[in-house]
Amino acid sequence: MNNFRKGMTWSILLTLFLSLSACGSLSTRGKNTAIGAGIGAVGGAILTGGSALGTVGGAAVGGVVGNQINKK
């Protein structure tokens, strides 16, 4: 089961980085929001042992933090 969890984590990270490469037309704020949501989702999943609620919560918090970085 541990190998499965590692595989899922790596595939989620790979999907995240590949999808972010498609965000070339986003504004800096939009990119920060997407990156924050991705990092928050991974962090939430790790901290809660893969819980869906933890992943979604982490993505939401990370997205808000990313959106507020460099706000003018």
Side-chain angles (χ1 to χ4, degrees), residues 10-11 13 22 26 32 41 49 54 58:
W10 282 110
S11 45
L13 286 173
L26 286 178
N32 288 344

Side-chain angles (χ1 to χ4, degrees), residues 16-40 59 61-71:
L16 172 70
F17 289 123
L18 289 176
S19 64
L20 286 177
S21 68
C23 299
S25 64
L26 286 178
S27 66
T28 301
R29 193 167 184 190
K31 288 178 189 175
N32 288 344
T33 302
I35 291 169
I39 292 172
V61 171
V64 169
V65 170
N67 183 272
Q68 297 302 310
I69 291 176
N70 294 331
K71 186 176 178 183

